[in-house]
């Protein structure tokens, strides 16, 4: 699975950005796509994910400001980020997940990160 993200950049506090990611390759069995982020000196953390069934998960820090969406026909996942704050500054990673029946565990796939900087 290959994940190609786009849409990062710099914005002032209160601004908006939209990240997009397209998946390609062997996509059979992928049951969730979403976004993680990693700020300098911190661990990578979940931002938002959306399962094939439409179940979404958001980090508490982004609830009400970020919206994750998918287009299953196009194999894309987007992240609309509104009311951005300086603490949202991080490298954002597109993510997908597949359940491995043989090992009974999830396999995670990652795209190259895209930088989001929120600063005045």
């Amino acid at each position: 699975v290959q994940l190609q993200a786009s849409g990062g950049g710099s914005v002032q506090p209160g601004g908006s950005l939209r990240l997009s990611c397209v998946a390609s390759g062997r996509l059979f069995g992928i049951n969730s796509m979403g976004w993680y982020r990693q700020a300098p000196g911190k661990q990578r953390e979940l931002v938002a994910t959306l399962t094939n069934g439409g179940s979404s998960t958001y980090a508490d820090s982004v609830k009400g400001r970020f919206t994750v969406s998918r287009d299953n026909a196009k194999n894309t996942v987007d992240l609309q980020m509104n009311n951005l704050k300086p603490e949202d500054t991080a490298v954002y990673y597109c993510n997908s997940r597949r359940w491995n029946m043989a090992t009974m565990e999830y396999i995670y796939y990652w795209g190259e990160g895209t930088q989001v900087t929120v600063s005045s």
Side-chain angles (χ1 to χ4, degrees):
V1 176
Q2 292 80 45
L3 301 169
Q4 182 65 48
S6 60
S10 296
V11 66
Q12 293 186 341
S16 298
L17 283 175
R18 187 177 184 90
L19 304 183
S20 296
C21 176
V22 58
S24 61
R26 182 174 172 269
L27 303 180
F28 178 79
I30 295 295
N31 60 16
S32 177
M33 294 183 69
W35 296 88
Y36 285 65
R37 68 186 180 188
Q38 187 167 17
K42 295 186 177 181
Q43 290 187 332
R44 189 173 298 188
E45 63 175 0
L46 179 148
V47 177
T49 60
L50 186 58
T51 68
N52 292 1
S55 178
S56 61
T57 300
Y58 290 92
D60 288 343
S61 60
V62 307
K63 286 180 180 177
R65 301 187 297 122
F66 291 12
T67 302
V68 63
S69 60
R70 290 177 60 182
D71 185 330
N72 292 327
K74 296 181 179 179
N75 298 316
T76 60
V77 58
D78 290 352
L79 184 68
Q80 177 65 41
M81 304 184 292
N82 298 327
N83 190 21
L84 282 159
K85 303 177 180 181
E87 51 263 43
D88 294 318
T89 296
V91 177
Y92 284 69
Y93 296 91
C94 181
N95 163 269
S96 65
R97 186 185 74 183
R98 171 186 284 126
W99 178 250
N100 187 320
M101 290 291 291
T103 61
M104 299 297 285
E105 61 184 7
Y106 283 112
I107 299 174
Y108 293 87
Y109 301 92
W110 302 96
E112 293 186 3
T114 184
Q115 178 70 45
V116 171
T117 302
V118 184
S119 174
S120 56

